[in-house]
Amino acid sequence: MLTIAIASLSGGQGKTTASLMLGRLLSRQGYPTLLIDADPQHNLTTYMDLELQANQPTLLEFLKKSVSAEDSIYPSAGNDNLFLIPADDQLDTVQDYLSNSGVGATLLKRRLEPVTEAFKVCIIDAPPQRSQICLTVLGAADALIIPAEASVKGYGSLVRTLDLLRNLQDVGATEAQVLGVLPFRDRWIGNSQTQESRAAVTGMCEEVGEELILPSIRESERYKQAINRRSTLSDMGYTELEYPFEVLIEKISKLTKKQK
Ligand code: ATP
Ligand code: MG
């Protein structure tokens, strides 16, 4: 199983959008995919239409090992290759557990070990803060996708995320490598990119090198519509908007082949 964290240390950078769209496409292309909602805001769980009862296990119980791994993994409606470990707002209470455990950085990685044969790809939607949950997510990841708004805020989010990654790599708390930076809400007016978007994407290139910059997610209502209609962009007739994810899937397919 290739574990990919989707992380960016600000709100509204496209983490959940990217997690969901990538998960749907990968599973449709034949990859058994496990999504993990690691954000107490639990938007991914909501978009996956999972209505949890208060006593049903989530990532919280998965991390605390109070249920078996399988019991916190839920199938998704209408797609037998896509599964979810959901979250609810109780997930916030795991922060103390992680920091008191002394092995917070490696905990999620260890908990995932029993299911590595069942899935080809695991995608984790990280929270926007530099929290204990974020650290355990990065610790579990083999690869990292950093979505960042094509704006001053997004550039800052990328810089902070890279800084955290390097600090964790330095102390051996993660082996994750950056798979790509995904410019989000890249704004074009007609055929010209807005000045702010262009400056932000140029800055991102300077941070990580052009080869790691993925094709942008353009500012567009279509992505929201696809999510709200539980559909894909190509099913809605906007195949070209899916291009950033096609490029990502190609990169992922190379990594999964290497893992064999
Ligand atoms: P958070 O840190 O709060 O979890 P996030 O990084 O997960 O945020 P998203 O929730 O994926 O970010 O996206 C932020 C908002 O942008 C959402 O309301 C989403 O519907 C919207 N959005 C998604 N795609 C686009 C797009 N291409 N253009 C404009 N808005 C978009
Ligand atoms: Mg989110």
Side-chain angles (χ1 to χ4, degrees):
M1 182 171 83
L2 179 74
T3 302
I4 304 172
I6 303 199
S8 195
L9 290 179
S10 283
Q13 300 298 305
K15 295 176 290 291
T16 305
T17 301
S19 302
L20 186 66
M21 294 210 159
L22 190 58
R24 280 195 186 144
L25 289 178
L26 278 167
S27 58
R28 280 187 170 208
Q29 294 187 17
Y31 292 85
T33 302
L34 175 63
L35 289 172
I36 300 180
D37 190 350
D39 184 351
Q41 296 180 94
H42 61 84
N43 292 331
L44 183 62
T45 302
T46 308
Y47 293 145
M48 288 283 288
D49 285 330
L50 194 65
E51 285 187 27
L52 287 167
Q53 309 298 319
N55 59 351
Q56 282 183 289
T58 61
L59 181 60
L60 177 68
E61 287 75 21
F62 183 83
L63 282 168
K64 288 187 164 175
K65 218 177 178 179
S66 47
V67 295
S68 77
E70 297 75 38
D71 287 343
S72 2
I73 299 177
Y74 297 77
S76 64
N79 185 338
D80 42 12
N81 251 340
L82 187 61
F83 295 80
L84 173 71
I85 300 181
D88 57 22
D89 44 24
Q90 287 302 307
L91 181 60
D92 245 337
T93 65
V94 87
Q95 307 278 14
D96 286 342
Y97 177 80
L98 287 170
S99 54
N100 294 338
S101 75
V103 289
T106 54
L107 200 74
L108 180 56
K109 192 185 186 78
R110 278 210 248 136
R111 295 291 191 251
L112 283 170
E113 271 163 16
V115 304
T116 52
E117 295 301 316
F119 301 98
K120 195 100 197 143
V121 183
C122 170
I123 296 173
I124 313 175
D125 184 10
Q129 307 85 10
R130 194 185 187 289
S131 58
Q132 292 292 324
I133 300 175
C134 190
L135 302 186
T136 204
V137 167
L138 291 176
D142 304 304
L144 172 63
I145 297 169
I146 309 176
E149 202 177 44
S151 66
V152 175
K153 179 181 171 190
Y155 172 76
S157 183
L158 170 64
V159 170
R160 282 197 306 283
T161 311
L162 288 171
D163 190 48
L164 173 62
L165 179 68
R166 287 180 195 128
N167 288 340
L168 294 177
Q169 285 168 335
D170 282 350
V171 297
T174 183
E175 286 167 14
Q177 299 293 329
V178 178
L179 184 63
V181 170
L182 183 59
F184 178 62
R185 300 184 72 165
D186 186 1
R187 286 184 59 217
W188 288 66
I189 297 169
N191 283 330
S192 34
Q193 192 176 22
T194 63
Q195 237 174 356
E196 186 182 16
S197 284
R198 184 165 350 111
V201 176
T202 306
M204 291 176 193
C205 277
E206 284 162 9
E207 289 296 325
V208 295
E210 209 168 340
E211 65 292 349
L212 285 182
I213 302 288
L214 294 156
S216 295
I217 293 185
R218 296 270 186 112
E219 169 82 25
S220 158
E221 291 299 304
R222 307 290 186 215
Y223 293 82
K224 270 190 233 176
Q225 284 170 4
I227 289 174
N228 291 338
R229 290 182 196 169
R230 314 307 190 228
S231 183
T232 63
L233 289 159
S234 47
D235 283 353
M236 284 168 50
Y238 308 111
T239 307
E240 72 286 357
L241 296 181
E242 240 162 39
Y243 182 61
F245 298 104
E246 294 302 336
V247 172
L248 254 177
I249 289 176
E250 211 151 286
K251 286 188 159 212
I252 292 168
S253 112
K254 283 187 192 144
L255 284 184
T256 56
K257 278 181 195 138
K258 257 198 228 162
Q259 268 200 333
K260 274 186 197 154

